[in-house]
Structures are given as C-alpha cells and as structure tokens.
C-alpha cells in the first residue's frame, strides 16, 4: 500500500467504523508502473504490447438475455523476453459480485489454474494464456455499471498490472433478497445453554457470539494515527446496549472434528455503527462465510483458514470520510480461530509480531487489556484464547488478513490499495457461549 498520509481524529466506534476510518482517514493511491504486456479481449483489435488500455476501445461485453451464466475468454500474451508471473486477478467495481474467474487455460485449452486456486502462474516469454471469465447475473439494485478486471504480474522483481473493462448486459436473474441487517431478529428464545462438562460430546451446537473485538493493524499507518484509534468492537465507542444482537452459528462436532456451517445473510450476523459515525452513519454490516472445518481436542478448538466477508449497504451519502456513491462496501478476510495460542510458537513474520506488540499495549474503556495478548520467553507476542468452560463460555482468537481472492471487493481504489494491495491485519477476539436449539 503506497499511500500519502492525512491524520484524522475520529474515534473508531465499531469493527465496521474502524475499518472505514482507517481506510478513508489515510487515503491515496500510487498506481503501479506500466510495462509491456497486455490483456485484450478475444475480439479486440488492440496492438499487442500496449499497456495503457483505452476503456472505450477495450470493453468486453457479457450478454445474458435469459439470466443464465455466460463465459468469455480473454487473452494475455507475454511479449517480453522474460518469464511473467501472474500473481493476482482482481475485479474492481464488481458491484453485484456477478463476475468471477472461472479458470486460466493454455492456448490448447488445458486448465492451468481453477478460479478457486491460489493465483500464481508463470508465463514464459512469447506464450499466451487465457482468462476465462464467468458472468452470472443476479438480482441486484445496480444496473449499467462496468467492472474492471485487473491482472497483477511480476517480471523479475518489478510488479505491474494491466486491465480491461467488463460490461454486463441482458436481464438479471434470480430473486431479490433483502439485506439481513435491515431487520435483525433476536433469536435467543430459541436456544438454551448446552451442557459442557469439560468437553463437547458429538452433536450439533450453536455458538452465540456475545462480543467481538478487533485491533486493525495497517503497517503503512505507523506513526500517522494514534494506536488507540485502531481498537474496535461491538462494545466500543458508546454503542447502545441493544444495537448489537448476538447471532447463533451452527457447529457440528464429530469424532474430534468440528465443522462450522455456512453463515448466510439470513443468519443476522450484523455489526452496528453509531449514528454519528463518519463512515457508515448508522448503517449495519453483515458478516457471511462459507463455513470451515477444524479440530476439537476435549475443550480446545482450532478452525483454520476461515473466510469471512463483511458487507454493508445503505450507507448515507455526504459523510465526512467519503463513502462509495452506491452506499455499499464489501471486503473479505481469512483467519484461524483458536482457543489456544495464535500464532502458534513464533509468529510467521516480524510484521505480525510488531502488530501484536502494538495491540497488546491497548486498554478498553474500563482500563483493562483490550485483547488477551501476552509474550513468551523469546519475546514474541501471541493471542491467548480460552477453552470450553463448564458454563459453556469460550474465547476464540485469531489473526485475520484482508484479501480479495474472490474478487468481490466493493469500495474506492484508495481503500483497496490501503487494505488489500499491501499487508493489513486484524487481531480478533470472539467471546461465545455454547448453546443448544430448543426442540419445537
């Protein structure tokens, strides 16, 4: 994240407002340098090697008159004398999340990468690969928009990008779905505390998320903002007691494994923002996830590589920090969740260790430690969770990294540069209670 700085004094009021305050309080973008190598549509007449693509002449249209998925293959030729390594594929302004990468294939049609794979592909000098783009129209309030497909690649030690405009057309498919946070429902009456005598027996449980806290660590912001302003959460910043309604997340325990079920928009996992928030202005954000698997050893839980998407809608215009004109923001993160130490042993990088040291110095409004962070005998910092207690209470901790692997980011270019294009982390604490559903 190559940014210019500008200080702000807004106290971050919640997980959502904290993210936006950081993103928009420190905004700017230094665009990557251009280089030879071009991405062109299969029907384009552009000359190979022209990096500066003209959007008026380089629009790949995706026409779906019946609302079904359609595909187009876009060629990417390495006309340099060096091997080019594709390192990321990003869909910017993908407002309805209808565009996605289906696969990257060779000239003879062999699949080199599936869309779900980690983007890492070497293209030899003179070779051409094809990005197969899927457009699956959904019912969405946005029409007439254009999405930009960016391909990030490296030659030697230098990083560049090239792009092309993707334009949807035709009728949207599917049925309209309301945004869950418009009417959050308290489901507490449907659940009761589970019996947890020192362990979780095989069965189906529901984790009531009583509190969330996080510390946003954006290395590029070092020295620009008071560290205390990066502490965010559902009980931070004077939110009303009834603003956050705990959701219930289904988990299945079987033979030492744990499966966290998919978290859909209807689960009402909603994060509030205060009315005076300069970024979200009383709008809610909804957390969703495809779920994940983990292990459970008696009372200790570990869920690895859990993907979570945060999406906000209905953000008012004219706010101080400048929100996307559509009133929408979306970002994804990947994290481990554990009742033990995170990271296990020495941190993977000094960067994370430095962030944990910074977060460990923060206090909440009552003067207590903001997050359960400690230091080992080697001087490395770590988050410490709490295993399943006899009263069913658990503390899960994790280190989350902001990503755009699904190409579903929605927001400004400055936000993408600051949080995604470079390393940014969130240190997470979830206080949950193990519940069982009351039989009807």
């Amino acid at each position: 994240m190559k940014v210019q700085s500008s200080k702000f004094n807004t106290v971050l009021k919640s997980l959502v407002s904290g993210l936006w305050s950081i993103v928009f309080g420190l905004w700017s973008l230094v665009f990557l340098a251009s280089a030879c190598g071009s991405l062109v549509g299969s029907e384009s007449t552009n000359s190979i090697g022209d990096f500066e693509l003209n959007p008026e002449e380089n629009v790949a249209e995706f026409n779906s008159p019946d609302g079904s998925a359609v595909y187009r293959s876009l060629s990417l030729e390495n006309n340099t004398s060096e091997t080019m390594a594709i390192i990321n594929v990003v869909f910017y302004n993908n407002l309805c999340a209808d565009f996605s990468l289906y696969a990257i294939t060779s000239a003879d049609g062999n699949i080199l990468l599936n869309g779900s794979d980690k983007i890492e592909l070497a293209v030899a000098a003179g070779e051409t690969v094809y990005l197969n783009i899927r457009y699956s129209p959904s019912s969405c309030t946005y029409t007439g928009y254009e999405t930009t497909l960016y391909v990030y690649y490296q030659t030697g030690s230098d990083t560049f990008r090239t792009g092309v405009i993707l334009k949807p057309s035709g009728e949207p498919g599917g049925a309209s779905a309301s945004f869950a946070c418009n009417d959050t429902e308290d489901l507490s009456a449907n659940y009761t505390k589970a019996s947890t005598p020192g362990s979780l027996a095989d069965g189906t449980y529901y984790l009531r998320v009583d509190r969330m806290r996080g510390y946003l660590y954006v290395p590029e912001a070092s020295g620009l903002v008071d560290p205390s302003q990066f502490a965010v959460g559902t009980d931070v910043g004077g939110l009303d007691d009834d603003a956050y309604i705990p959701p219930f997340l289904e988990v299945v325990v079987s033979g030492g494994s744990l499966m966290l079920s998919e978290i859909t928009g209807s689960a009402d996992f909603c994060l509030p923002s205060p009315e005076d928030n300069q970024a979200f202005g009383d709008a809610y954000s909804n957390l969703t996830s495809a779920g994940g698997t983990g292990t459970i050893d008696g009372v200790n839980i570990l869920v690895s590589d859990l993907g979570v998407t945060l999406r906000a809608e209905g953000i008012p215009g004219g706010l101080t920090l400048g929100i996307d004109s559509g009133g929408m923001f979306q970002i994804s993160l990947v994290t481990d969740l554990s009742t033990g130490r995170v990271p296990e042993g020495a941190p993977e990088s000094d960067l994370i260790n430095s962030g944990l040291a910074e977060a460990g110095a923060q206090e909440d409004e009552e003067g207590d430690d903001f997050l359960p962070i400690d230091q080992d005998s080697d001087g490395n910092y770590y988050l410490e969770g709490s295993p399943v207690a006899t009263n069913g209470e658990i503390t899960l901790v994790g280190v989350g990294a902001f990503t755009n692997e699904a190409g579903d980011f929605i927001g400004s270019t400055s936000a993408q540069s600051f949080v995604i294009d470079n390393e940014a982390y969130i240190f997470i604490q979830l206080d949950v209670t193990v519940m069982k559903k009351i039989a009807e």
Side-chain angles (χ1 to χ4, degrees):
M1 277 142 268
K2 307 171 182 66
V3 299
Q4 289 180 316
S5 65
S6 63
K7 284 196 174 184
F8 62 86
N9 295 318
T10 305
V11 176
L12 306 184
K13 301 285 179 104
S14 70
L15 180 62
V16 175
S17 63
L19 177 59
W20 267 108
S21 296
I22 293 170
V23 169
F24 289 99
L26 302 168
W27 63 276
S28 74
L29 174 65
V30 175
F31 289 99
L32 297 172
S34 63
C36 290
S38 65
L39 177 69
V40 298
S42 57
E43 299 158 14
S44 173
T45 58
N46 285 318
S47 60
I48 298 299
D50 182 7
F51 177 79
E52 295 294 338
L53 298 176
N54 186 333
E56 286 72 29
E57 299 175 1
N58 295 273
V59 176
E61 293 196 7
F62 290 75
N63 184 26
S64 177
D66 61 356
S68 61
V70 294
Y71 300 81
R72 281 199 60 176
S73 181
L74 306 178
S75 62
L76 179 64
E77 179 178 348
N78 178 10
N79 65 323
T80 71
S81 59
E82 302 178 77
T83 295
M84 179 176 70
I86 300 175
I87 59 173
N88 204 2
V89 176
V90 172
F91 295 86
Y92 174 69
N93 202 43
N94 192 14
L95 293 180
C96 296
D98 291 344
F99 288 103
S100 61
L101 176 65
Y102 180 73
I104 300 179
T105 64
S106 62
D108 56 8
N110 290 325
I111 294 179
L112 304 174
L113 278 177
N114 287 306
S116 59
D117 294 338
K118 179 181 180 181
I119 305 300
E120 191 174 73
L121 179 65
V123 181
E127 288 190 358
T128 299
V129 295
Y130 294 85
L131 280 74
N132 295 284
I133 307 302
R134 182 177 189 263
Y135 170 61
S136 181
S138 61
S139 183
C140 179
T141 57
Y142 294 92
T143 59
Y145 67 92
E146 294 181 348
T147 296
T148 303
L149 168 66
Y150 287 119
V151 178
Y152 289 83
Y153 61 97
Q154 291 179 332
T155 55
S157 60
D158 298 320
T159 300
F160 309 95
R161 79 175 181 184
T162 186
V164 68
I165 300 295
L166 311 178
K167 185 176 180 179
S169 60
E171 295 298 324
S176 178
S178 61
F179 185 57
C181 295
N182 289 339
D183 187 18
T184 306
E185 183 179 1
D186 187 353
L187 301 176
S188 299
N190 298 334
Y191 300 88
T192 186
K193 278 192 176 183
S195 174
T196 57
S199 64
L200 288 182
D202 289 358
T204 300
Y205 301 90
Y206 297 85
L207 302 182
R208 186 184 68 198
V209 183
D210 300 315
R211 181 176 72 170
M212 290 184 65
R213 280 187 175 182
Y215 186 82
L216 292 157
Y217 180 57
V218 185
E220 294 294 327
S222 179
L224 303 176
V225 179
D226 189 312
S228 64
Q229 296 186 358
F230 290 86
V232 297
T234 57
D235 64 335
V236 175
L239 284 166
D240 293 337
D241 291 340
D242 59 354
Y244 172 67
I245 298 177
F248 293 79
L249 311 180
E250 183 182 67
V251 296
V252 178
V253 175
S254 177
S257 66
L258 180 145
M259 182 179 71
L260 176 64
S261 299
E262 179 182 5
I263 304 170
T264 65
S266 61
D268 283 351
F269 198 164
C270 299
L271 302 177
S273 292
E275 291 184 7
D276 61 353
N277 178 256
Q278 298 183 31
F280 275 55
D282 200 31
Y284 275 84
S285 289
N286 191 24
L287 295 186
T288 57
S289 173
T293 59
T295 59
I296 180 166
D297 179 13
V299 294
N300 294 306
I301 294 172
L302 173 62
V303 179
S304 300
D305 298 326
L306 179 67
V308 179
T309 298
L310 178 151
R311 183 183 181 94
E313 295 186 8
I315 303 170
L319 297 176
T320 304
L321 298 179
I323 300 300
D324 176 78
S325 59
M328 184 184 299
F329 177 73
Q330 180 169 286
I331 195 168
S332 299
L333 63 92
V334 176
T335 184
D336 291 347
L337 291 177
S338 174
T339 57
R341 290 187 176 186
V342 177
E344 182 66 29
E348 295 181 359
S349 71
D350 290 339
L351 190 64
I352 293 178
N353 194 47
S354 298
L356 287 168
E358 183 175 283
Q362 308 310 311
E363 296 181 343
D364 62 18
E365 296 171 359
E366 297 180 357
D368 298 323
D369 290 341
F370 184 75
L371 290 174
I373 295 175
D374 210 337
Q375 192 175 23
D376 63 23
S377 58
D378 295 325
N380 294 315
Y381 291 87
Y382 58 88
L383 286 153
E384 182 77 59
S386 298
V388 182
T390 55
N391 62 359
E393 295 179 358
I394 308 173
T395 297
L396 293 162
V397 293
V399 176
F402 295 106
T403 73
N404 194 29
E405 293 182 0
D408 58 359
F409 176 83
I410 299 173
S412 71
T413 54
S414 56
Q416 179 170 329
S417 173
F418 200 71
V419 180
I420 293 176
D421 293 346
N422 291 282
E423 289 183 273
Y425 298 95
I426 181 169
F427 306 125
I428 300 167
Q429 174 185 348
L430 298 180
D431 292 333
V432 306
T433 302
V434 181
M435 311 289 287
K436 296 283 283 187
K437 182 175 284 189
I438 299 174
E440 294 184 1

